[in-house]
Coordinates of all heavy atoms in Angstrom, one line a residue:
T15 N 9.1 -4.1 13.3 CA 8.7 -3.1 12.3 C 8.4 -3.7 11.0 O 7.4 -3.3 10.3 CB 9.8 -2.1 12.2 OG1 10.2 -1.6 13.5 CG2 9.4 -0.9 11.3
L16 N 9.2 -4.6 10.5 CA 9.0 -5.2 9.2 C 7.7 -6.0 9.2 O 6.9 -5.8 8.2 CB 10.2 -6.1 8.9 CG 10.1 -6.9 7.6 CD1 10.0 -5.9 6.4 CD2 11.3 -7.9 7.4
L17 N 7.5 -6.9 10.1 CA 6.3 -7.7 10.1 C 5.0 -6.9 10.3 O 4.0 -7.2 9.6 CB 6.4 -8.8 11.3 CG 7.5 -9.9 11.1 CD1 7.5 -10.8 12.3 CD2 7.3 -10.6 9.8
F18 N 5.0 -5.9 11.2 CA 3.8 -5.1 11.4 C 3.5 -4.3 10.2 O 2.4 -4.2 9.8 CB 4.0 -4.2 12.6 CG 2.7 -3.5 12.9 CD1 1.6 -4.1 13.5 CD2 2.6 -2.1 12.5 CE1 0.5 -3.4 13.8 CE2 1.4 -1.4 12.8 CZ 0.3 -2.1 13.4
T19 N 4.5 -3.7 9.6 CA 4.3 -2.9 8.4 C 3.6 -3.8 7.2 O 2.7 -3.3 6.6 CB 5.6 -2.3 7.8 OG1 6.1 -1.5 8.9 CG2 5.3 -1.4 6.6
L20 N 4.1 -5.0 7.1 CA 3.6 -5.8 6.0 C 2.2 -6.3 6.4 O 1.3 -6.3 5.5 CB 4.6 -7.0 5.8 CG 5.9 -6.7 5.1 CD1 6.8 -7.9 5.0 CD2 5.7 -6.1 3.7
F21 N 2.1 -6.8 7.6 CA 0.8 -7.4 7.9 C -0.4 -6.4 8.0 O -1.5 -6.7 7.6 CB 0.9 -8.2 9.3 CG 1.7 -9.5 9.2 CD1 2.0 -10.1 10.4 CD2 2.1 -10.0 8.0 CE1 2.8 -11.3 10.3 CE2 2.9 -11.1 7.9 CZ 3.2 -11.8 9.1
A22 N 0.0 -5.3 8.6 CA -1.1 -4.2 8.8 C -1.4 -3.4 7.6 O -2.6 -3.0 7.5 CB -0.7 -3.4 10.0
F23 N -0.4 -3.1 6.8 CA -0.6 -2.1 5.8 C -0.4 -2.5 4.3 O -0.7 -1.8 3.4 CB 0.3 -0.9 6.0 CG 0.1 -0.2 7.4 CD1 1.1 -0.2 8.3 CD2 -1.1 0.3 7.7 CE1 0.9 0.4 9.5 CE2 -1.4 0.9 8.9 CZ -0.3 1.0 9.9
F24 N 0.0 -3.8 4.1 CA 0.2 -4.3 2.7 C -1.2 -4.3 2.0 O -2.1 -4.9 2.5 CB 0.8 -5.7 2.7 CG 1.2 -6.2 1.3 CD1 2.3 -5.7 0.7 CD2 0.3 -7.1 0.7 CE1 2.6 -6.1 -0.6 CE2 0.7 -7.5 -0.6 CZ 1.8 -7.0 -1.2
G25 N -1.2 -3.7 0.9 CA -2.5 -3.6 0.1 C -3.3 -2.4 0.5 O -4.3 -2.0 -0.2
V26 N -3.0 -1.8 1.6 CA -3.7 -0.5 2.0 C -3.0 0.7 1.5 O -3.6 1.6 1.0 CB -3.7 -0.4 3.6 CG1 -4.4 0.9 4.0 CG2 -4.5 -1.6 4.1
Y27 N -1.6 0.7 1.5 CA -0.8 1.8 1.0 C 0.1 1.2 -0.1 O 0.3 0.0 -0.2 CB 0.1 2.4 2.1 CG -0.7 2.9 3.2 CD1 -0.7 2.4 4.5 CD2 -1.6 4.1 3.1 CE1 -1.4 2.9 5.6 CE2 -2.3 4.6 4.1 CZ -2.2 4.0 5.4 OH -3.0 4.5 6.4
D28 N 0.6 2.1 -1.0 CA 1.5 1.7 -2.0 C 2.9 1.4 -1.4 O 3.1 1.6 -0.2 CB 1.6 2.8 -3.1 CG 2.1 4.1 -2.6 OD1 2.8 4.2 -1.6 OD2 1.7 5.2 -3.1
V29 N 3.7 0.8 -2.3 CA 5.0 0.3 -1.8 C 5.9 1.4 -1.2 O 6.6 1.3 -0.2 CB 5.8 -0.4 -2.9 CG1 7.2 -0.8 -2.5 CG2 5.0 -1.6 -3.4
K30 N 5.8 2.6 -1.9 CA 6.6 3.8 -1.4 C 6.2 4.2 0.0 O 7.1 4.5 0.8 CB 6.4 4.9 -2.4 CG 7.2 6.2 -2.0 CD 7.0 7.3 -3.0 CE 7.8 8.6 -2.6 NZ 7.6 9.7 -3.6
T31 N 4.9 4.2 0.3 CA 4.4 4.5 1.6 C 4.8 3.4 2.6 O 5.2 3.8 3.7 CB 2.9 4.7 1.6 OG1 2.5 5.7 0.7 CG2 2.4 5.1 3.0
L32 N 4.7 2.2 2.2 CA 5.1 1.1 3.1 C 6.6 1.2 3.5 O 7.0 1.0 4.7 CB 4.9 -0.3 2.4 CG 3.5 -0.7 2.2 CD1 3.4 -2.0 1.5 CD2 2.7 -0.8 3.5
V33 N 7.5 1.5 2.5 CA 8.9 1.7 2.8 C 9.1 2.9 3.7 O 9.9 2.8 4.7 CB 9.7 1.9 1.5 CG1 11.1 2.2 1.8 CG2 9.6 0.6 0.6
S34 N 8.4 3.9 3.5 CA 8.5 5.1 4.3 C 8.0 4.8 5.8 O 8.7 5.2 6.7 CB 7.6 6.3 3.7 OG 7.6 7.4 4.6
I35 N 7.0 4.1 5.9 CA 6.4 3.7 7.2 C 7.5 2.8 8.0 O 7.8 3.0 9.1 CB 5.1 3.0 7.2 CG1 4.0 3.9 6.7 CG2 4.7 2.4 8.5 CD1 2.7 3.2 6.4
F36 N 8.1 1.8 7.2 CA 9.0 1.0 7.8 C 10.3 1.7 8.3 O 10.7 1.6 9.4 CB 9.5 -0.1 6.8 CG 10.6 -0.9 7.3 CD1 10.5 -1.9 8.2 CD2 11.9 -0.7 6.8 CE1 11.6 -2.6 8.7 CE2 13.0 -1.4 7.2 CZ 12.9 -2.4 8.2
L37 N 10.8 2.5 7.4 CA 12.1 3.3 7.7 C 11.8 4.3 8.8 O 12.6 4.3 9.8 CB 12.6 4.0 6.5 CG 13.1 3.1 5.4 CD1 13.5 3.9 4.2 CD2 14.3 2.2 5.8
S38 N 10.8 5.0 8.7 CA 10.5 6.0 9.8 C 10.2 5.4 11.1 O 10.7 5.8 12.2 CB 9.3 6.9 9.4 OG 8.1 6.2 9.3
S39 N 9.5 4.2 11.1 CA 9.2 3.5 12.3 C 10.4 3.0 13.0 O 10.6 3.1 14.2 CB 8.2 2.4 12.1 OG 7.0 2.8 11.6
Y40 N 11.3 2.4 12.2 CA 12.6 1.9 12.8 C 13.5 3.0 13.3 O 14.2 2.8 14.3 CB 13.3 1.0 11.8 CG 14.4 0.3 12.5 CD1 14.2 -0.6 13.5 CD2 15.8 0.5 12.1 CE1 15.2 -1.3 14.2 CE2 16.8 -0.2 12.8 CZ 16.5 -1.1 13.8 OH 17.5 -1.7 14.5
V41 N 13.5 4.1 12.6 CA 14.3 5.3 13.0 C 13.8 5.7 14.4 O 14.6 5.9 15.3 CB 14.3 6.4 12.0 CG1 14.9 7.7 12.7 CG2 15.1 6.1 10.8
I42 N 12.5 5.7 14.5 CA 11.9 6.2 15.8 C 12.2 5.2 16.9 O 12.6 5.5 18.0 CB 10.4 6.3 15.7 CG1 10.1 7.5 14.8 CG2 9.7 6.4 17.0 CD1 8.6 7.6 14.4
F43 N 12.2 3.9 16.5 CA 12.5 2.8 17.5 C 14.0 2.9 17.9 O 14.3 2.6 19.1 CB 12.2 1.4 17.0 CG 10.7 1.2 17.0 CD1 10.1 0.5 15.9 CD2 9.9 1.5 18.0 CE1 8.7 0.3 15.9 CE2 8.5 1.2 18.0 CZ 7.9 0.6 16.9
I44 N 14.9 3.2 17.0 CA 16.3 3.4 17.4 C 16.4 4.5 18.4 O 17.1 4.4 19.4 CB 17.1 3.8 16.1 CG1 17.2 2.5 15.2 CG2 18.5 4.2 16.5 CD1 17.9 2.8 13.9
V45 N 15.7 5.6 18.1 CA 15.8 6.8 19.0 C 15.2 6.5 20.4 O 15.8 6.7 21.4 CB 15.1 8.0 18.4 CG1 15.0 9.2 19.4 CG2 15.8 8.5 17.1
T46 N 14.0 5.8 20.4 CA 13.3 5.5 21.6 C 14.1 4.5 22.4 O 14.1 4.5 23.7 CB 11.9 5.0 21.4 OG1 11.9 3.9 20.4 CG2 11.0 6.1 20.8
S47 N 14.8 3.5 21.7 CA 15.5 2.5 22.4 C 16.7 3.1 23.1 O 17.0 2.8 24.3 CB 16.0 1.5 21.4 OG 16.9 0.5 22.0
L48 N 17.4 4.1 22.4 CA 18.5 4.8 23.1 C 18.0 5.6 24.2 O 18.7 5.7 25.3 CB 19.3 5.6 22.0 CG 19.9 4.8 20.9 CD1 20.5 5.8 19.9 CD2 21.0 3.9 21.4
L49 N 16.9 6.3 24.0 CA 16.4 7.1 25.1 C 15.8 6.4 26.3 O 15.7 7.0 27.4 CB 15.3 8.1 24.5 CG 15.9 9.2 23.5 CD1 14.7 10.0 23.0 CD2 16.9 10.1 24.2
D50 N 15.4 5.1 26.1 CA 14.8 4.4 27.2 C 15.8 3.8 28.1 O 15.5 3.3 29.2 CB 13.7 3.4 26.7 CG 14.3 2.1 26.2 OD1 15.6 1.9 26.3 OD2 13.6 1.3 25.7
T51 N 17.1 3.8 27.7 CA 18.1 3.2 28.5 C 18.2 3.9 29.9 O 18.3 3.2 30.9 CB 19.5 3.2 27.8 OG1 19.4 2.6 26.5 CG2 20.6 2.6 28.6
P52 N 18.3 5.2 30.0 CA 18.3 5.9 31.3 C 17.1 5.4 32.2 O 17.2 5.3 33.4 CB 18.2 7.4 31.0 CG 18.8 7.5 29.6 CD 18.3 6.2 28.9
A53 N 15.9 5.2 31.5 CA 14.7 4.8 32.2 C 14.9 3.4 32.9 O 14.5 3.2 34.0 CB 13.5 4.8 31.3
V54 N 15.6 2.5 32.2 CA 15.9 1.2 32.7 C 16.8 1.3 33.9 O 16.7 0.6 34.9 CB 16.4 0.2 31.6 CG1 16.7 -1.2 32.2 CG2 15.5 0.1 30.4
Y55 N 17.8 2.1 33.8 CA 18.8 2.4 34.9 C 18.0 2.9 36.1 O 18.3 2.5 37.3 CB 19.9 3.4 34.5 CG 21.0 2.7 33.8 CD1 21.1 2.7 32.4 CD2 22.1 2.1 34.5 CE1 22.2 2.1 31.8 CE2 23.1 1.5 33.9 CZ 23.2 1.5 32.5 OH 24.3 0.8 31.9
I56 N 17.1 3.9 35.9 CA 16.3 4.5 37.0 C 15.5 3.4 37.6 O 15.4 3.3 38.9 CB 15.4 5.6 36.5 CG1 16.3 6.8 36.0 CG2 14.5 6.1 37.6 CD1 15.6 7.9 35.3
A57 N 14.8 2.5 36.8 CA 14.0 1.5 37.3 C 14.8 0.5 38.1 O 14.3 0.0 39.2 CB 13.3 0.8 36.2
R58 N 16.0 0.2 37.7 CA 16.8 -0.8 38.5 C 17.2 -0.1 39.8 O 17.2 -0.9 40.8 CB 18.1 -1.1 37.7 CG 18.9 -2.2 38.4 CD 20.1 -2.7 37.5 NE 21.1 -1.7 37.4 CZ 22.3 -1.9 36.8 NH1 22.5 -3.0 36.2 NH2 23.2 -0.9 36.7
R59 N 17.5 1.2 39.8 CA 17.8 1.8 41.1 C 16.6 1.8 42.0 O 16.7 1.6 43.2 CB 18.2 3.3 40.8 CG 18.6 4.0 42.1 CD 19.2 5.4 41.7 NE 19.6 6.1 42.9 CZ 20.7 6.0 43.5 NH1 21.6 5.1 43.1 NH2 21.0 6.7 44.6
I60 N 15.4 2.0 41.5 CA 14.2 1.9 42.3 C 14.0 0.5 42.9 O 13.7 0.3 44.1 CB 12.9 2.3 41.4 CG1 12.9 3.8 41.1 CG2 11.6 1.9 42.2 CD1 11.9 4.1 40.0
H61 N 14.3 -0.5 42.1 CA 14.2 -1.9 42.5 C 15.2 -2.2 43.6 O 14.8 -2.8 44.6 CB 14.4 -2.8 41.3 CG 14.5 -4.2 41.7 ND1 13.4 -5.0 42.1 CD2 15.6 -5.1 41.7 CE1 13.8 -6.2 42.3 NE2 15.1 -6.3 42.1

């Protein structure tokens, strides 16, 4: 999240927007990481 926000958007958006993108992106990744755990268990069962 940190590297992509800086590389992709630095100079495109102001610092406030960059911070917002970073924080919101990481919050989403926290949620998706926790939610994808059941999917990994299901995949292991399939395997």
Side-chain angles (χ1 to χ4, degrees):
T15 307
L16 178 62
L17 292 178
F18 183 77
T19 301
L20 291 176
F21 289 172
F23 299 121
F24 186 78
V26 178
Y27 301 112
D28 58 32
V29 175
K30 182 179 178 181
T31 302
L32 290 177
V33 173
S34 176
I35 291 172
F36 169 77
L37 292 176
S38 62
S39 296
Y40 189 62
V41 168
I42 290 170
F43 286 137
I44 291 174
V45 173
T46 54
S47 176
L48 295 175
L49 292 178
D50 79 7
T51 304
V54 181
Y55 275 97
I56 293 170
R58 187 174 69 176
R59 183 173 179 81
I60 291 170
H61 172 73

